[in-house]
Amino acid sequence: MNVTTTLSLKAGAILLACALAGCSSKVTETKQYSGFIADYSNLAPAKTASGQEVLRWVAPDFRLSNYKSLYFAPVIYYPKPMPNKRVTEQTLEQVRLYTDQRLRSALGAHIRIASQPEPGGLILKTAIAAVSAENKDLRFYEVLPVTAVVAGTMALSGQRSQNATLFLEAEAIDVSTNETVAKVVRKGYGGSISNSNAPITQADVKGAIDVMISDVTAYVSN
């Protein structure tokens, strides 16, 4: 078999694997926007301190140090979540509380948290848009002509391993001007789940939240 034929087979296998098993996007896709943020049009790709890809917009003159306080609105789900066998109501509340507590604590180390919006302060609104799971991306050794078909069949039958995912949207608003000064839409990856029928727990999503909080801490520290 010559080099051209080998490359063609590998390329074809990759395309076949993507078609069958699904090549996932590392950022939130337009169709996955929740509507929590009023305007998504000026979001642009950006890299976080941990190297993760996000969609973000920040006003050129925005500095957290310019504000006296932060009103941290409780983290919510938007739209209203639909518990099911994979993600129970209890899990959803555990994920929400953990996100709220970690984010509040991280920001509170850099700015005073106020009990209500104050002049000269900020408002931060945060929503979890989805807690779900998706098939893992295929590795190189899985895209040989035969194994690509096997992996694709496993994905269709629900037996392929998955990653827990968390979709988060946040918007910071200047209290004095009532204008948005920063917003971000982020997709985070948590732990590994054995298959598409296995339940998703708070522990599965925890890693995604922890990385997000670490990136928030690194950003506001600059």
Side-chain angles (χ1 to χ4, degrees):
M1 184 180 295
N2 59 38
V3 174
T4 302
T5 302
T6 301
L7 291 175
S8 297
L9 282 172
K10 288 181 178 179
I14 293 171
L15 291 173
L16 176 62
C18 287
L20 290 174
C23 286
S24 58
S25 171
K26 300 301 182 184
V27 297
T28 306
E29 299 177 22
T30 303
K31 63 183 180 181
Q32 295 171 320
Y33 292 164
S34 73
F36 178 72
I37 295 175
D39 181 14
Y40 295 84
S41 63
N42 53 358
L43 291 173
K47 286 275 190 178
T48 69
S50 66
Q52 303 296 308
E53 298 178 26
V54 300
L55 297 173
R56 184 168 65 200
W57 176 84
V58 181
D61 58 349
F62 173 75
R63 297 289 184 279
L64 186 65
S65 58
N66 292 339
Y67 294 89
K68 299 177 180 178
S69 65
L70 172 71
Y71 171 66
F72 183 89
V75 174
I76 65 170
Y77 280 98
Y78 190 93
K80 185 178 179 179
M82 301 282 289
N84 53 47
K85 291 181 179 180
R86 293 204 75 190
V87 188
T88 66
E89 186 173 357
Q90 180 181 15
T91 294
L92 288 170
E93 181 59 11
Q94 289 172 342
V95 169
R96 189 197 69 79
L97 283 174
Y98 186 73
T99 305
D100 187 288
Q101 292 165 0
R102 288 296 317 278
L103 188 54
R104 185 186 298 269
S105 177
L107 292 170
H110 297 274
I111 188 171
R112 179 173 62 84
I113 303 297
S115 59
Q116 60 184 9
E118 298 177 347
L122 275 176
I123 298 172
L124 180 66
K125 302 190 299 179
T126 308
I128 299 172
V131 176
S132 59
E134 62 184 30
N135 293 331
K136 289 186 175 181
D137 289 339
L138 297 180
R139 297 187 177 92
F140 176 75
Y141 61 76
E142 292 180 289
V143 298
L144 298 177
V146 175
T147 56
V149 177
V150 173
T153 303
M154 289 173 65
L156 292 174
S157 63
Q159 297 307 306
R160 187 172 181 80
S161 58
Q162 296 187 313
N163 281 122
T165 54
L166 179 78
F167 293 80
L168 199 74
E169 301 185 8
E171 184 171 23
I173 300 169
D174 186 308
V175 174
S176 299
T177 65
N178 199 36
E179 293 184 354
T180 297
V181 292
K183 51 190 171 183
V184 63
V185 173
R186 176 159 182 171
K187 176 183 181 180
Y189 288 91
S192 180
I193 301 171
S194 58
N195 59 71
S196 62
N197 297 313
I200 302 169
T201 68
Q202 188 264 356
D204 296 323
V205 183
K206 180 178 179 294
I209 300 169
D210 290 342
V211 173
M212 290 181 183
I213 299 305
S214 176
D215 283 336
V216 168
T217 302
Y219 185 81
V220 299
S221 297
N222 291 334

